[in-house]
């Protein structure tokens, strides 16, 4: 069953019949053909399999996780695929990433959502752990969902990533996070993450080495 579902997820990706001067990949989600422009010189400008897993989950579980009119923020949005799919499913999306990725992210988001979505998504800079209260004040920023795909890998900013999750998450915020396990650092981050959040595996794809998590803040029922 795992291999069948993974094959179905990967079938959502297609490639151009003709090679052009600009590299792009195509995807079928939420009843739309989505074209994503990539860059091979940066991790954040490539679509990774975890993003496809999260998009597939959002599409096939749209009744249980109804995104219509929900406030959604994606951290580490990269090329924007997850943000685009969430927007096509009716969410009010803020897609965030580092400043050097915003140009390509904005291009992909605009190209694939203009006149197609109930709410036009926003693209905003977010450097993990930096100026969080200034740019995303807790008093006025409320997100129903935080989404993340493959944000944990071999990089030196895991402390800042955890700080960012903690800052953006309110008591009723749901985190949907897809992660590919590569190194022991991923396991260490999951252990630290669970000191702040209740974590539940909602889908597992052994053939892709990817897990999909749902998380909420610990102690929320006591508030």
């Amino acid at each position: 069953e795992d291999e069948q579902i993974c094959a179905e997820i990967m079938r959502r990706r297609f490639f151009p019949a003709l090679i052009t001067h600009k590299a792009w990949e195509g995807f079928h989600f939420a009843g739309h053909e989505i074209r994503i422009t990539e860059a091979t010189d940066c991790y954040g400008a490539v679509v990774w399999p975890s993003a496809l897993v999260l998009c597939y989950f959002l599409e096939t579980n749209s009744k249980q996780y109804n995104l219509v009119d929900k406030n959604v923020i994606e951290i580490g949005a990269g090329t924007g695929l997850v943000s685009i799919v969430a927007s096509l499913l009716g969410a009010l999306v803020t897609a965030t990433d580092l400043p050097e990725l915003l140009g390509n992210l904005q291009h992909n988001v605009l190209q694939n959502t203009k006149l197609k979505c109930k709410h036009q998504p926003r693209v905003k800079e977010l450097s993990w752990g930096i100026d969080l209260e200034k740019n995303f004040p807790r008093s006025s920023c409320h997100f129903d969902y935080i989404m993340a795909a493959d944000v944990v890998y071999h990089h030196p900013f895991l402390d800042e990533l955890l700080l960012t999750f903690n800052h953006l998450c309110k008591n009723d915020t749901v985190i949907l996070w897809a992660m590919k396990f590569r190194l022991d650092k991923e396991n260490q981050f999951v252990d630290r993450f669970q000191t702040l959040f209740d974590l539940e595996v909602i889908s597992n794809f052994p053939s892709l080495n990817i897990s999909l998590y749902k998380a909420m803040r610990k102690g929320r029922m006591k508030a």
Side-chain angles (χ1 to χ4, degrees):
E1 184 181 3
D2 164 58
E3 291 182 355
Q4 290 177 350
I5 294 175
C6 290
E8 165 61 21
I9 292 172
M10 292 305 160
R11 278 197 292 269
R12 300 302 185 93
R13 169 184 262 158
F14 66 93
F15 298 93
L18 298 174
I19 303 299
T20 64
H21 69 283
K22 185 177 288 189
W24 63 271
E25 286 187 70
F27 303 87
H28 290 289
F29 287 109
H32 291 267
E33 178 182 298
I34 301 167
R35 293 192 177 193
I36 296 293
T37 301
E38 296 185 311
T40 57
D41 59 346
C42 179
Y43 286 130
V46 176
V47 177
W48 298 100
S50 292
L52 275 70
V53 166
L54 184 49
C55 290
Y56 180 82
F57 178 85
L58 295 176
E59 181 190 75
T60 55
N61 293 272
S62 59
K63 290 185 178 180
Q64 183 179 0
Y65 294 89
N66 185 355
L67 298 184
V68 177
D69 298 329
K70 296 296 193 298
N71 280 315
V72 172
I73 185 168
E74 185 187 4
I75 61 174
T79 61
L81 180 61
V82 172
S83 289
I84 291 164
V85 172
S87 298
L88 293 171
L89 292 171
L92 178 58
V93 176
T94 302
T96 70
D97 216 312
L98 296 169
E100 59 266 29
L101 295 172
L102 295 188
N104 189 57
L105 175 58
Q106 179 71 69
H107 168 78
N108 285 329
V109 166
L110 187 62
Q111 174 178 263
N112 290 287
T113 61
K114 189 175 182 180
L115 303 179
K116 299 178 183 178
C117 298
K118 184 176 183 181
H119 307 286
Q120 185 60 37
R122 298 189 305 158
V123 172
K124 189 170 180 179
E125 176 185 341
L126 173 54
S127 298
W128 297 339
I130 298 175
D131 291 333
L132 293 175
E133 182 59 30
K134 176 184 175 182
N135 295 323
F136 298 90
R138 289 185 61 83
S139 60
S140 58
C141 286
H142 180 279
F143 297 106
D144 299 295
Y145 290 93
I146 299 171
M147 297 188 183
D150 238 357
V151 292
V152 180
Y153 50 90
H154 187 62
H155 61 71
F157 303 110
L158 295 180
D159 290 342
E160 291 81 358
L161 174 59
L162 187 59
L163 185 66
T164 301
F165 271 124
N166 189 44
H167 179 83
L168 296 174
C169 190
K170 297 290 182 66
N171 282 348
D172 58 347
T173 302
V174 174
I175 299 171
L176 294 176
W177 165 29
M179 182 170 74
K180 182 178 180 68
F181 286 82
R182 301 179 180 87
L183 303 165
D184 192 49
K185 276 201 169 188
E186 281 88 345
N187 293 308
Q188 293 175 18
F189 182 83
V190 170
D191 290 341
R192 293 177 55 206
F193 185 88
Q194 289 184 96
T195 64
L196 298 175
F197 301 98
D198 292 322
L199 191 64
E200 172 189 356
V201 178
I202 53 177
S203 287
N204 211 9
F205 304 93
S207 60
L208 295 174
N209 207 24
I210 292 173
S211 293
L212 179 60
Y213 294 105
K214 171 186 175 183
M216 295 187 75
R217 181 178 292 282
K218 279 185 177 293
R220 60 193 176 279
M221 299 303 293
K222 300 176 185 177

